Amino acid sequence: MELTEKPAAPERPRTGAPVTDGAEAFAPPLPAVERDWAPALRRSPELWQIARAVGGGPFHVVHPGTFAANLRAMIDALAAESVSGTVYYGKKANKAAAWLREAAVPGAGVDVASVPEFAAALGNGIRAEDIGVTGAAKSGGLLWLAARHGALVAVDAADELERVACAAADAGRSVDVLLRVRPPSAPESRFGMDTDSLQAAVRRCSELDGRVELRGFSFHLDGYAVEPRARLADTLVDLCIDARAAGHRADRISIGGGIAVSYVTEEDWAAYRHGARPEWFHAGRMPEKTYPYHQAPTGATMVTAILRTESRGRVLAERLRDNDIEILLEPGRALVDGAGFSVFPVQGFEPRPGHGVTTVAGLSMSLSEQWKGSEFLPDPILVQRDPSSDGPVRTFVGGASCMEYDVLTWRAVRLDAPPRAGDLLVYPNTAGYQMDKNESGFHQLPLPPKVVVDDDHRWHLDTEFPTQEVR
Ligand SMILES: Cc1ncc(COP(=O)(O)O)c(C=O)c1O
């Protein structure tokens, strides 16, 4: 086959590949850093049993054990600094219900932004007092439900505060609220209140006494940096102190999500970033911006770093402790880090000069990064049905639709062998926002099912609500 290369051969195209200025014509590898369960399942016969059982189409695999470990590490990070708080899973990151059952533990909760998300949390054992409601100008139904059940509501604007008060009156009980701050670093954000609106809202909470209880303040920042989060959290502590002086309870701050994740090693990421060029991508389609696929600190280590960051001579943890303030986190992506992968059966491979075209069952909507004009960069992995001795190939990867732009990977990635119909192409670590944020039933194709696995490769389909076997 023209495009195959002997495994030991240097990674140079045989024919027609772009000539570059002495730099690498092909992208360096970006292998995903994975948890042990993922490669183990990939190499096991159970993967093929699952593929057959779900009918030969694409599917997602989720591993709640990894979610539980990520969550436990964050709860422990708070405890290690002697700080009280709650880690709310940002449910938007992935719709599987299996995560919710893992979040039904002390120190955890769920962050929801819609009635279906609220109902899913309740139905999977999350108590209403452990549900945080965020999201822009929430629907009347969501506010009413939050009021009825006693969930914590983050309020974005003055008119929303009035609607919360109405919902409280309807529901016959007072609602706990956080007032969301518009970060000074993002003055044009459509979320949160500026300083004047915030002060007015604090005063209004006094007038609404009995319908609204001001429990504190919140923010959500873009990016993944420690320092701005710690600094703004420190300001929120001040806001709590001032609000208490005005008679409010104000004993909580929420620092939102944005806890960082690394998908690849520092070395591999540096090699990609320093060399990235359009020639590495089919049709030159290099994304202008991507997620930072390697960063530090990440996960629970980042939580610790935030708590240990000093502002005005004192670390955040100390300020929280001294003022009896709880810290709330809303991580989405970081809790599902390493906890899932997506499987697309190969439908075809066409060798072409330079790099070939692989077409998989499934759509690029199951890999959301493509829908932001970006690319999910960790390398896909070929799992062959029958081993072949043909050498590696370069290929980009398209979905099974009629759209030219339905592409899962524009980068000409290296696969160990030419993919053949019936092989599986696995995209690693896709649970955070990739799997199901943008999925649609285009071409009347069914949405890929989610399969829940454990370390012993026992598996079942994700169920909307608990069945006999809860975990
Ligand atoms: C208010 C709020 N909280 C939490 C999150 C979750 O963010 P991440 O998945 O980056 O942790 C988001 C994401 O947009 C958000 O808007």
Side-chain angles (χ1 to χ4, degrees), residues 219 221 224-238 253-259 302-312 314-317 319-320 327 329:
F219 65 78
L221 286 180
Y224 304 92
V226 168
E227 185 79 27
R229 286 179 168 74
R231 232 180 303 116
L232 196 48
D234 189 63
T235 308
L236 263 52
V237 172
D238 291 340
I253 63 167
S254 171
I255 65 167
I259 302 299
M302 175 165 167
V303 173
T304 304
I306 293 170
L307 292 171
R308 290 185 184 172
T309 298
E310 200 177 298
S311 294
R312 294 174 293 171
R314 296 169 81 198
V315 297
L316 178 62
R319 291 215 71 213
L320 294 166
I327 188 167
L329 310 167

Side-chain angles (χ1 to χ4, degrees), residues 89-112:
Y89 166 52
K91 186 174 181 341
K92 55 194 82 88
N94 189 295
K95 298 188 183 92
W99 318 122
L100 301 175
R101 261 98 77 184
E102 302 298 333
V105 294
V110 175
D111 158 34
V112 304

Side-chain angles (χ1 to χ4, degrees), residues 364-417:
S364 52
M365 283 87 151
S366 297
L367 207 61
S368 304
E369 215 59 20
Q370 299 303 340
W371 295 86
K372 300 196 297 191
S374 189
E375 175 122 324
F376 186 70
L377 286 172
D379 290 342
I381 302 145
L382 182 70
V383 182
Q384 291 184 284
R385 191 168 52 183
D386 303 306
S388 82
S389 55
D390 290 334
V393 293
R394 288 276 167 179
T395 181
F396 78 110
V397 183
S401 83
C402 59
M403 297 295 174
E404 192 73 70
Y405 55 77
D406 177 20
V407 169
L408 286 79
T409 299
W410 289 99
R411 190 166 50 109
V413 289
R414 179 188 184 279
L415 299 180
D416 286 343

Side-chain angles (χ1 to χ4, degrees), residues 34-54:
E34 294 183 278
R35 311 289 171 100
D36 292 347
W37 72 269
L41 179 64
R42 233 177 16 245
R43 292 186 201 111
S44 76
E46 283 83 2
L47 186 73
W48 291 98
Q49 285 170 13
I50 297 169
R52 270 193 297 279
V54 300

Side-chain angles (χ1 to χ4, degrees), residues 90 92-93 111 134-135 180 220 224 256-259 330-334 433:
K92 55 194 82 88
D111 158 34
T134 62
R180 182 163 166 174
H220 173 75
Y224 304 92
I259 302 299
E330 300 160 7
R333 188 190 289 266
Y433 294 106

Side-chain angles (χ1 to χ4, degrees), residues 20 40 69 94 119 142 146-147 151 179 189 213 227 287 294 356 373 377 413 431 440 445:
T20 62
N94 189 295
L142 180 57
L179 297 179
S189 168
E213 174 138 43
E227 185 79 27
H294 181 88
L377 286 172
V413 289
S440 82
L445 290 167

